[in-house]
Amino acid sequence: MGSSVIPGAFDAHFHLNPGEHGKEAVKRYKASGGSGINLVNLPDYSIGYSDYYERRYEVTIQLADMARQSGLKVSVTLGPYPLDYFFWEKGGFNAKQMMLHGVELAAKYCRENRASALGEVGRPHFPVEYRVTEDSNEIIERCMQLSREIGCAVVLHTEDLDPTGLEGIHTMIIRAGPNPRKVVKHHASPEFNRICPEISRSILASRDNVRNAIRENIWNFMLESDYVDDPAKPDKVIPPDSVPKRAIMIREQYKNHEEIFASVFQELPEYVFSVQI
Ligand SMILES: [Zn+2]
């Protein structure tokens, strides 16, 4: 799309690992018309416990530099993954305390403008004991407080949220005080885009999801592949070029594609992730 005023695709939730596989994914993304990604920190429990977040965040920062050198606009999201809880528990640590340390460290990167969001933080996406939910909610609220203080975004990984679930997040937002538009529900269901609409969404870029989200006619969403860059699970969650491919679909099928592009691939990503598209 280069010289056109229409922005290229922006993938709001993209992961990378060191190595050739990740470089290939970036190439494939760019070749399909992608111009920017929000790169989200990945857990790696094989590296052991000592300085876990320190080491993981540095890996993600280096991968962001790699993607920038390949010509992409990149924002960075750092934080403790919800399932880190079980990793810490298994090692005999106080999980909440370790994850809160991960949050404060990520906030430091945000203060230094080396990252623009805390995430993906939240709750395990499957049923867990009450105390895990309680601790996870405390971690979410701390992230929201930091978002209020620093102005960084919060990318939420949770169980699928129905209207009641969204109201619950909204209640936490009221309590902790972040700008709700800076809070992004990752893996959101487009049919609920009108529930608590001030919360931003990032929606898995399947064809159906994109059509459903556009049909809601409310521009509070971005698109994501949630690409995990795992050679053992190629093209998961969906292939790395999914968002650029949906961009082509939008251009071909919607008369108002310029309005859609401006919101989904430029205005909202710029606002949420402070990235210049
Ligand atoms: Zn993810």
Side-chain angles (χ1 to χ4, degrees):
M1 279 165 232
S3 62
S4 159
V5 290
I6 300 175
F10 184 89
D11 188 324
H13 199 106
F14 200 97
H15 299 285
L16 284 171
N17 276 307
E20 284 311 307
H21 199 256
K23 285 186 187 152
E24 284 304 315
V26 166
K27 261 190 218 156
R28 192 168 151 195
Y29 180 73
K30 205 161 173 276
S32 319
S35 64
I37 58 171
N38 175 48
L39 182 66
V40 184
N41 188 67
L42 265 184
D44 180 358
Y45 304 137
S46 74
I47 68 169
Y49 291 103
S50 107
D51 293 333
Y52 176 78
Y53 292 114
E54 284 76 359
R55 290 186 290 148
R56 278 317 293 166
Y57 295 172
E58 277 307 313
V59 168
T60 301
I61 293 286
Q62 281 168 25
L63 289 165
D65 286 341
M66 178 276 283
R68 284 186 195 111
Q69 277 156 19
S70 308
L72 294 182
K73 308 280 177 151
V74 183
S75 61
V76 175
T77 296
L78 300 176
Y81 186 62
L83 303 194
D84 291 0
Y85 198 94
F86 307 109
F87 166 65
W88 291 116
E89 268 199 338
K90 208 172 143 202
F93 294 87
N94 179 324
K96 184 176 78 178
Q97 201 180 307
M98 297 313 290
M99 290 168 78
L100 283 171
H101 164 70
V103 167
E104 299 300 330
L105 181 64
K108 186 168 175 278
Y109 279 87
C110 291
R111 284 196 183 93
E112 293 167 354
N113 293 318
R114 300 178 73 200
S116 47
L118 304 173
E120 50 190 301
V121 295
R123 300 188 287 251
H125 47 274
F126 45 83
V128 291
E129 282 174 57
Y130 182 67
R131 78 189 153 81
V132 181
T133 306
E134 285 282 280
D135 286 350
S136 301
N137 284 339
E138 228 177 278
I139 293 164
I140 295 174
E141 287 213 27
R142 180 62 190 141
C143 292
M144 288 179 173
Q145 287 166 1
L146 286 162
S147 169
R148 184 195 62 209
E149 280 171 41
I150 306 170
C152 60
V154 180
V155 175
L156 288 179
H157 169 118
T158 66
E159 74 282 7
D160 285 341
L161 295 181
D162 59 9
T164 311
L166 283 162
E167 294 289 352
I169 296 296
H170 190 247
T171 303
M172 295 167 97
I173 289 174
I174 300 289
R175 237 186 345 246
N179 174 349
R181 213 174 159 213
K182 286 271 190 177
V183 177
V184 182
K185 169 56 182 129
H186 148 60
H187 217 283
S189 314
E191 64 263 38
F192 300 133
N193 277 1
R194 288 183 170 274
I195 310 287
C196 305
E198 56 276 64
I199 300 171
S200 295
R201 276 71 170 169
S202 119
I203 288 174
L204 196 70
S206 68
R207 286 175 186 79
D208 277 354
N209 270 352
V210 171
R211 289 191 192 105
N212 291 337
I214 291 173
R215 189 177 308 128
E216 290 299 313
N217 202 31
I218 180 164
W219 307 109
N220 57 359
F221 69 92
M222 299 174 279
L223 296 177
E224 64 179 25
S225 62
D226 198 7
Y227 177 66
V228 294
D229 194 34
D230 180 349
K233 295 180 252 174
D235 288 348
K236 293 281 175 194
V237 171
I238 56 175
D241 53 3
S242 300
V243 174
K245 282 190 169 160
R246 292 306 93 77
I248 294 165
M249 180 189 106
I250 292 168
R251 202 170 37 187
E252 285 171 352
Q253 299 183 4
Y254 293 90
K255 274 206 196 83
N256 61 337
H257 61 263
E258 285 191 25
E259 176 197 8
I260 299 169
F261 269 56
S263 169
V264 175
F265 297 142
Q266 185 163 27
E267 286 160 20
L268 198 54
E270 282 186 348
Y271 187 87
V272 170
F273 297 120
S274 311
V275 61
Q276 202 64 46
I277 308 285

